[in-house]
């Protein structure tokens, strides 16, 4: 990630996180280290993140929507997946409507796919990193698949 993008993400993250958030650097490192097609999962406070994560990033005190908004400002995304109300892909709650709206208006063009629990949870476990938020809404889990960096960003 170029230094200018890293600074932009730090500003975005510090808009939603306390200055003392110790895992901010771990999040930045994980997003930089991810390759095209790798996935990062943002999970609610009920998800057993410590048990399932290959790389755990604690975001204690930070809710899902501000964290998602900050990451979408800097991470190129080619596809996204989210939990569904009661793990039924045909149902969505208020948090899911908010996630859908944010992803639709973030300036990137990718598809948001609702998944059932049987499809979502193995995918979260396989994610490059899990960001464990303090979101209290149930089924508030989102997966972002990193897109290829634009050619100008790789020079």
């Amino acid at each position: 990630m170029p230094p200018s993008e890293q600074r932009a993400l730090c500003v975005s993250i510090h808009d939603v996180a306390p200055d003392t958030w110790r895992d901010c650097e771990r999040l930045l490192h994980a997003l930089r280290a991810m390759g095209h097609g790798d996935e990062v999962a943002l999970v609610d406070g009920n998800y057993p993140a410590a048990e399932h994560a290959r790389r755990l990033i604690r975001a204690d005190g930070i809710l899902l929507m501000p964290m998602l908004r900050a990451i979408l400002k800097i991470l190129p995304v080619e596809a996204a997946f989210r939990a569904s109300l009661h793990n039924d892909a045909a149902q969505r709650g208020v948090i899911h409507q908010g996630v859908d709206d944010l992803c639709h208006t973030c300036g990137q063009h990718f598809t948001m796919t609702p998944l059932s629990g049987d499809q979502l949870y193995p995918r979260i476990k396989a994610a490059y990193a899990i960001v464990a938020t303090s979101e209290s809404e149930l089924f508030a889990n989102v997966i972002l698949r990193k897109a290829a960096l634009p050619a100008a960003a790789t020079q």
Side-chain angles (χ1 to χ4, degrees):
M1 180 179 305
S4 63
E5 290 183 10
Q6 182 175 345
R7 283 190 299 277
L9 183 58
C10 282
V11 169
S12 297
I13 295 298
H14 285 293
D15 284 346
V16 301
D19 289 338
T20 57
W21 181 40
R22 63 181 184 190
D23 274 2
C24 184
E25 285 300 318
R26 292 187 68 213
L27 174 62
L28 294 173
H29 180 267
L31 295 176
R32 272 192 312 268
M34 288 171 58
H36 174 226
D38 283 341
E39 296 179 341
V40 60
L42 286 68
V43 299
D44 62 40
N46 297 297
Y47 188 85
E51 171 100 11
H52 294 170
R54 293 170 39 202
R55 291 169 192 84
L56 177 63
I57 300 162
R58 302 272 338 151
D60 298 325
I62 305 170
L63 300 178
L64 176 76
M65 293 299 289
M67 180 62 74
L68 177 61
R69 186 176 298 108
I71 291 173
L72 286 172
K73 287 180 181 179
I74 196 69
L75 183 73
V77 176
E78 70 179 14
F81 309 89
R82 67 161 171 78
S84 302
L85 190 61
H86 306 298
N87 288 320
D88 177 353
Q91 296 186 37
R92 72 178 176 176
V94 174
I95 190 80
H96 305 114
Q97 180 66 50
V99 166
D100 292 350
D101 291 347
L102 176 58
C103 290
H104 180 72
T105 60
C106 73
Q108 298 192 51
H109 302 286
F110 59 86
T111 302
M112 170 60 75
T113 304
L115 299 176
S116 68
D118 292 344
Q119 298 169 314
L120 184 79
Y121 297 123
R123 193 170 206 134
I124 292 174
K125 286 181 185 181
Y128 182 85
I130 294 178
V131 179
T133 72
S134 291
E135 181 60 57
S136 62
E137 290 287 329
L138 298 176
F139 308 107
N141 305 307
V142 177
I143 301 169
L144 304 173
R145 182 186 305 145
K146 187 174 181 178
L149 296 174
T154 59
Q155 297 177 3

